[in-house]
Amino acid sequence: MAVNTVSTGLEERWRDILAVHARTMCEIDRVLHPHGLGASDFEVLDILATESPREGDQCRVQNLVGRVHLSQSALSRLIGRLEKDGLVERSMCVEDRRGVWVSLTRKGRHLHSEVLPLQRGVLAKMLDG
């Protein structure tokens, strides 16, 4: 009986975490939509801005895979959309032809800095309370 109680408690905590995550992602999507971004788009821009703080800095796509909650193919499609919108640039890795570099463009850096306070505001509202 104790195992069921522990299991039930874990399941409830897990469902609470998922519910907070879902509500937070929906709210981020809502506030970023007028800027042409979704939560996952912003997450990639934010990681790139953090990992590659100077203009021209690059990050390997493989380094993003473990940090965003998308499959490698979904991440590749997302990066393709961001590239089409002029927010990132991709290039092949000379040392490893299977590798792909991605970097923020000036437009991507500007948009990231513009919407960063919006995303952080949602996080503060949803997670601090």
Side-chain angles (χ1 to χ4, degrees):
M1 188 67 129
V3 171
N4 286 341
T5 304
V6 170
S7 178
T8 301
L10 287 174
E11 290 167 7
E12 288 174 8
R13 285 178 41 210
W14 174 242
R15 288 189 180 111
D16 288 346
I17 290 168
L18 291 176
V20 168
H21 178 266
R23 285 193 306 269
T24 303
M25 293 295 279
C26 286
E27 185 63 12
I28 291 170
D29 280 337
R30 187 187 69 73
V31 301
L32 297 182
H33 180 75
H35 300 274
L37 294 174
S40 294
D41 302 325
F42 176 83
E43 196 64 30
V44 169
L45 295 180
D46 196 43
I47 291 169
L48 288 173
T50 302
E51 293 289 315
S52 308
R54 293 180 310 271
E55 191 169 327
D57 284 353
Q58 297 178 315
C59 179
R60 282 189 67 147
V61 171
Q62 191 61 35
N63 295 346
L64 297 173
V65 170
R67 301 196 52 203
V68 295
H69 302 288
L70 298 171
S71 67
Q72 189 162 355
S73 61
L75 175 61
S76 183
R77 287 190 303 273
L78 186 149
I79 290 171
R81 285 193 311 273
L82 294 175
E83 184 177 38
K84 182 178 162 231
D85 292 341
L87 302 175
V88 301
E89 293 176 336
R90 284 189 280 193
S91 59
M92 298 303 292
C93 179
V94 176
E95 300 84 29
D96 176 3
R97 293 180 52 143
R98 294 171 296 161
V100 177
W101 292 102
V102 64
S103 60
L104 282 175
T105 62
R106 183 171 287 148
K107 179 181 177 182
R109 285 187 189 284
H110 175 76
L111 183 58
H112 173 262
S113 63
E114 182 181 326
V115 300
L116 179 65
L118 300 174
Q119 189 263 4
R120 296 302 197 261
V122 170
L123 293 182
K125 179 177 116 180
M126 301 300 284
L127 302 178
D128 283 347

